Amino acid sequence: MRTALLQMTSSDNPGENLGMVEKMLDEAVLGGAGFVLTPEVTNCLSASRRHQQAVLHHEEDDPTLAALQDAAARHGIWLLLGSLAVKTHDAEGRFANRQFLISPQGEITARYDKIHMFDVDVTPEETYRESDGYRPGDRAVVTDTPFGRVGMSICYDVRFGYLHRALAHAGAEILTVPAAFSHVTGAAHWHVLLRARAIETGCYILAPAQTGRHLASVGARRQTYGHSLVVAPWGEVLVDAGINSGVSYVDLDMEKVAEARRRVPSLTHDRDFDGP
């Protein structure tokens, strides 16, 4: 399956971001892609909860989601929206960081809410409390496509190997890890974490990323790491998109999943053990 990863620099303006995605989708389809993936928070990258309340929507009313469902159907492609920030009915008014897999008929075939919240102090000047604004998910998701079984995760989830191992045990052959990774933690950890998840599961890793400095009409501006990656089941980096926005392509060969798992069948070697 010819696959395209969109590397973007989303702003806090959903309408502008939608226009950018639609142009990149056109390019990806011209490049022969039948499966296209976008980064985390494709529709709105913002640190201002007040601004998000003003511009975000519930899933059923979200114009970005509706437009991109139409685009998937028009192009006849599989489209993974790495995530959209959407409103929920959470009692505390928190949003969901939600991933969508859309079929060539424009139907949502799977959705996943990010489980692990990025509550960290990267440096004294760079701190995040994702759980203040987002409600964590509580369900892992694996879904079938004609080209392979897909396990879904988002950004900070990559640090939790047990999630990806559970997805692989549930049959996942492809793991999606769309991200808006911090520039600091990305330089230190992005490549090694994604390669580790591929090696220990024997899965393809597809990780489209946000990149660069993100315009914000309200609140602080973010800087993200870029380097959208595709990692093969044996751990080789097949695509590294660097730091510029654009479309990157890879041809998935699912026999590579079976081959890696034959060579090192670690998914069959789990053992129960007593705690420390």
Side-chain angles (χ1 to χ4, degrees), residues 163-215:
L163 170 61
H164 299 87
R165 193 168 188 84
L167 295 171
H169 275 303
E173 302 161 291
I174 298 166
L175 298 176
T176 60
V177 195
F181 230 71
S182 155
H183 188 267
V184 174
T185 59
H189 302 148
W190 175 245
H191 288 74
V192 67
L193 284 169
L194 290 169
R195 292 191 67 205
R197 298 295 84 85
I199 292 164
E200 66 198 13
T201 64
C203 289
Y204 274 103
I205 302 291
L206 304 180
Q210 295 279 357
T211 191
R213 291 198 172 273
H214 300 267
L215 295 177

Side-chain angles (χ1 to χ4, degrees), residues 67-261:
L68 293 177
Q69 287 181 257
D70 289 344
R74 183 171 65 254
H75 291 304
I77 60 169
W78 286 89
L79 175 61
L80 184 115
L81 300 180
S83 79
L84 301 181
V86 295
K87 289 182 175 178
T88 72
H89 299 290
D90 179 72
E92 299 176 33
R94 292 179 297 177
F95 312 108
N97 192 341
R98 183 169 295 162
Q99 186 171 137
F100 297 91
L101 182 63
I102 301 169
S103 76
Q105 292 73 44
E107 299 170 349
I108 298 170
T109 64
R111 50 176 62 75
Y112 164 73
D113 286 0
K114 184 177 182 181
I115 291 174
H116 300 96
M117 297 288 97
F118 192 50
D119 292 349
V120 303
D121 301 303
V122 177
T123 69
E125 295 78 30
E126 187 176 359
T127 65
Y128 301 91
R129 292 294 179 269
E130 189 175 17
S131 62
D132 286 349
Y134 288 88
R135 179 190 69 187
D138 57 10
R139 186 173 67 91
V141 176
V142 176
T143 190
D144 288 311
T145 72
F147 48 88
R149 196 155 164 79
V150 176
M152 305 170 87
S153 71
I154 299 172
C155 201
Y156 190 52
D157 284 332
V158 74
R159 294 181 182 271
F160 301 88
Y162 55 76
L163 170 61
H164 299 87
R165 193 168 188 84
L167 295 171
H169 275 303
E173 302 161 291
I174 298 166
L175 298 176
T176 60
V177 195
F181 230 71
S182 155
H183 188 267
V184 174
T185 59
H189 302 148
W190 175 245
H191 288 74
V192 67
L193 284 169
L194 290 169
R195 292 191 67 205
R197 298 295 84 85
I199 292 164
E200 66 198 13
T201 64
C203 289
Y204 274 103
I205 302 291
L206 304 180
Q210 295 279 357
T211 191
R213 291 198 172 273
H214 300 267
L215 295 177
S217 57
V218 180
R221 294 187 178 186
R222 285 268 308 272
Q223 181 175 5
T224 54
Y225 182 62
H227 292 277
S228 297
L229 288 190
V230 177
V231 187
W234 194 246
E236 315 97 296
V237 174
L238 303 180
V239 170
D240 183 334
I243 61 172
N244 295 321
S245 297
V247 182
S248 299
Y249 301 92
V250 67
D251 293 309
L252 301 183
D253 177 1
M254 301 313 295
E255 174 56 28
K256 296 296 184 183
V257 175
E259 178 186 342
R261 292 176 178 180

